Amino acid sequence: MKKVLLSIFGYMFSAVIILMVCAVPVFGIYELGKTTWYLTQFEHDTGTVVGCTGKRFKHKSKYAYVVETKKGARITGRWYGSKSHCEQQKGKTVAVLINPENKQKGVVNSFMDRWFLPLTLLSLPGLFLYGYLKKRKEKSNNSYMN
């Protein structure tokens, strides 16, 4: 019975790992497609960081900067960091992408807001595969020595 339960647990664990390895890059491709869509469909503009907005994450607050364009659109960044970092950004000019159909809607066009998440999600399966292949190679080298 113990053998059967361990076998079932092993298969379930393997299924979860395979699902993660497959689902993570799919979400990364979705985010990359969304970024590409924003870059091709929205108008490029600039705005000035005018403030910060906070959001509570588990036991601490993180802050994203709020950008205001010349036409009055207020856009909140997607990347949340420390309050001090956010405060340092006040007054800086940043690139934004504005929806041509609704000039009050847009997104911040920075590396952290547009590219960091998709690139991270697309690189994770490669790191898992590298670790797996390295471990497998070490096992095969050890089996030849015995």
Side-chain angles (χ1 to χ4, degrees):
M1 182 68 176
K2 186 177 178 181
K3 223 179 196 182
V4 171
L5 289 175
L6 286 174
S7 174
I8 291 171
F9 176 75
Y11 286 127
M12 288 175 57
F13 183 72
S14 297
V16 168
I17 295 297
I18 290 169
L19 182 64
M20 283 179 31
V21 168
C22 295
V24 167
V26 168
F27 187 64
I29 290 170
Y30 167 77
E31 286 293 322
L32 188 63
K34 202 163 70 167
T35 293
T36 305
W37 184 79
Y38 282 134
L39 290 170
T40 58
Q41 301 298 315
F42 281 28
E43 297 171 356
H44 294 259
D45 199 358
T46 59
T48 305
V49 178
V50 294
C52 299
T53 183
K55 191 173 188 181
R56 188 99 174 127
F57 291 94
K58 292 188 182 180
H59 300 292
K60 59 179 158 179
S61 293
K62 297 283 188 169
Y63 297 85
Y65 49 82
V66 178
V67 178
E68 189 170 315
T69 64
K70 294 172 195 125
K71 296 178 182 171
R74 291 179 73 87
I75 301 164
T76 302
R78 182 174 166 181
W79 184 255
Y80 285 83
S82 69
K83 185 174 185 175
S84 62
H85 176 71
C86 187
E87 293 289 334
Q88 291 172 354
Q89 304 303 313
K90 283 186 179 178
K92 289 188 177 181
T93 301
V94 295
V96 294
L97 300 168
I98 302 294
N99 186 343
E101 295 172 7
N102 182 352
K103 301 287 185 184
Q104 296 302 310
K105 301 263 184 191
V107 294
V108 176
N109 187 20
S110 69
F111 176 79
M112 294 304 282
D113 281 277
R114 299 275 41 102
W115 298 102
F116 181 74
L117 183 62
L119 293 177
T120 301
L121 292 173
L122 289 171
S123 66
L124 284 177
L127 293 173
F128 280 123
L129 184 61
Y130 172 76
Y132 171 76
L133 292 176
K134 185 176 179 182
K135 189 174 181 179
R136 188 173 171 185
K137 184 177 179 181
E138 288 172 0
K139 279 186 179 179
S140 69
N141 286 341
N142 289 337
S143 68
Y144 287 129
M145 292 185 174
N146 291 332

